[in-house]
Amino acid sequence: MEPVGDTVPIAELLDERRHLLEVAHWMLGSPVAAERVIDEAYREWYGLTDRQRSRIGSPRAWLSRVVGTICLERLAPPEKAAFVLGDAPGTAVGTAEGGPGQPEPECAEPANRARHSLRTRRARPASPRRQDEIAQAVRQACADEDAGRLASLLTPDVTAFFDGGGKVRALTRPVTGSEGVARSLLTLLARHPRTTLRTHPVNGSTGLVARYDDQVAAVVALDVTGSHVVQVWVVLNPDKLRSWNRPRP
């Protein structure tokens, strides 16, 4: 199945971010500093135009080079010299393609909530039982990788928002239409031995939670009216998922 735009499977998103953190942590010796470097690297990624990003054959390698360059800029002269002389891995050193960019703007939640409220007023809200049934059906369609079944559960003008916060390679623009949203969700939630997808209470109704190993990687809220999903909100931002990943007392 062809992905939509820059949609990337969850397994690839998390493996990529973990790899970049390992490189930055190894070079700087600080997990806090490593997180800051990763954030800056993704800002450079989103500072590129769509055309520039489309020309990059391996985003992970590109980001690794950016991380290496940023880390070198933060090292003291003796430490930097050691890396430049050959102690650093090849993927961690290099010059980033494209110039520095502006941070990716986060999804405008107030505007999205206003849109949600407007659509809810115009449609018949689903009962909690119906919401649960639709969420279960969406989860099963994703598990079966059944694009037709998933699309049938969505309204023709359904809209999906992907909130990566500029910290993972998530879509930056909404996806509209049942077929496009179905394809983007199936690409993101693609089956993988280390990925699970379950229904779970989200914002007071039934949604979906995707885990990679034991880590919550995505939380999916479904706005259901009548018997169809009219809006999908996918949270991929690691900062917003921290509370989901805290150990339970």
Side-chain angles (χ1 to χ4, degrees), residues 39 61 63 68 71 82 85 90 132 166 199 204 207 209 218 228:
D39 289 349
L63 285 162
C71 287
L85 288 174
D132 185 69
T199 56
V209 171
H228 292 83

Side-chain angles (χ1 to χ4, degrees), residues 119-199:
R119 299 186 76 167
T120 299
R121 287 196 299 269
R122 290 177 176 175
R124 179 168 55 89
S127 66
R129 179 177 178 179
R130 188 57 176 157
Q131 170 83 30
D132 185 69
E133 290 174 350
I134 295 298
Q136 294 282 0
V138 168
R139 190 208 69 80
Q140 191 61 52
C142 289
D144 295 339
E145 297 186 331
D146 189 336
R149 173 60 177 155
L150 181 56
S152 73
L153 297 168
L154 314 173
T155 59
D157 62 343
V158 63
T159 303
F161 300 90
F162 297 83
D163 178 9
K167 296 176 181 290
V168 293
R169 279 193 300 117
L171 291 172
T172 58
R173 297 185 182 88
V175 177
T176 59
S178 57
E179 292 186 2
V181 170
R183 290 199 306 272
S184 64
L185 287 177
L186 290 184
T187 300
L188 179 73
L189 304 173
R191 282 187 294 188
H192 187 279
R194 297 165 64 184
T195 301
T196 59
L197 183 65
R198 299 284 185 269
T199 56

Side-chain angles (χ1 to χ4, degrees), residues 72 77-88 93:
L72 284 175
E79 297 170 314
K80 183 182 298 185
F83 278 96
V84 171
L85 288 174
D87 290 337
V93 180

